[in-house]
Amino acid sequence: MSEPDRRSRRSPVATRHGRLKTSTAAKTIAKVVSAVLAVVLVSGSAIAAYAVWDIASSVAPPVALANETPGADAPNIDAIEGGVNLLLVGSDSRTGQDAVFGDVDKDSATLNDVTMLMHISEDHTSATVVSFPRDMFVPIPSCPKEGGGTYDEMAAQKINTTLSYGGLACTVLTVEKLTGLSIPFAAEVEFGGVIELSNAVGGVDVCVAEPIDDWRTETYLDAGTHTLQGMAALQFLRTRHGVGDGSDLGRISNQQVFLSSLVRTLKSSETLTDPSKLFGIAKAAASNMTLSTSLSNLNTMVSIAMALKDIPLDQVVFAQYPTEYGDINGYEGVLPLEGPATELFDALAADQPLTLTGETGPGSVVDPSAPTPSTPDPSAPSTGEPTPPSGVVLDESVPGQTAADYTCSKGND
């Protein structure tokens, strides 16, 4: 979702010499993975996506991940057993895509400017989606090269450079090293997929608290509620300068406004029980996705979708990886906030439900017109004590919201 600005593509630490080659193992993809994630997360649309897999001639071949087991049997068509970790990434590549997405330096490396990890608990009662800020400096492990051999590991490099070094598999390895979680499933999505998916669901209602005025993505929205689809939805998800403080951190929270609304829309509509709608969503996604080998089997995708379908809205958590600004060899950069991050991923590893205590993020605010919770029955017995939060209460440095939270995008003056 990077805008066509002139920002530098190189990081100040551990830079590899020479031009970085764009991965040819995967099809060019979108940075805006959030819409696809919400569809898969809630609707089970992957069932339809792979029903049309064989006739989608433009679908790229699958990508093998380091921790996949060759020849492993796919599960039966039932809710998958145990938990699931699935990484979704999107790049800023414009190769083969419409010029309206903006121009970039042809010599620039392809970056994964959106990186999201979805975790489904082992008992299928909760799901968490963690967004990793694109400019966060992280250690990058040794990654395989396309033509053989490996890249050397690096102590610190922006996380959005991993797609350039070793493709989707390298991004997965990096997130595994950062989180301590094993990630056997991964997917990439194109710009066009977001446009087609938003059209297939009939648009998504988003609340705008303050006007958004961003000439870079041609996103101009007055305060109020807007139904976005097609190019308007894509550009809303891409805008950075138009929301919050103009940073990628603000953009993440703006994307979560869209995500939560899309989840609620799919849950409350007839989409989940209407095969024609599911196939419409599936056809929109099938030709715009590149998948890991582990996801290239119909039964696997069906089983993951069935595990996600009935998770309550308040147990679908969208969180941003906690960060702080600090010094990187004389440069100010975005750094992982290790204590709160460890708490977050330890909780996911233990399948503990999460309670957010932080703000929604700089790109969004709580919707003042949000529906109020149901009033408790006054005749019900009371203990006199408030109900304690369940599971792990995250540090306030972890921004985010649940799908049950109504939020509005906050324009950048």
Side-chain angles (χ1 to χ4, degrees), residues 133-137 158 240 245-252 320-328 331-338 362 397:
R134 69 178 187 184
D135 295 327
M136 183 173 66
F137 284 88
K158 289 184 179 181
R240 171 169 62 91
D245 56 2
S247 71
D248 183 56
L249 305 183
R251 173 164 49 191
I252 288 175
Q320 180 179 301
Y321 192 104
T323 60
E324 61 181 348
Y325 287 99
D327 180 79
I328 297 290
Y331 294 85
E332 184 179 49
V334 179
L335 303 177
L337 199 55
E338 294 184 0
S397 63

Side-chain angles (χ1 to χ4, degrees), residues 87-104:
L87 192 73
L88 298 103
V89 305
S91 83
D92 63 356
S93 172
R94 273 74 163 174
T95 304
Q97 299 185 62
D98 198 298
V100 297
F101 298 134
D103 297 325
V104 294

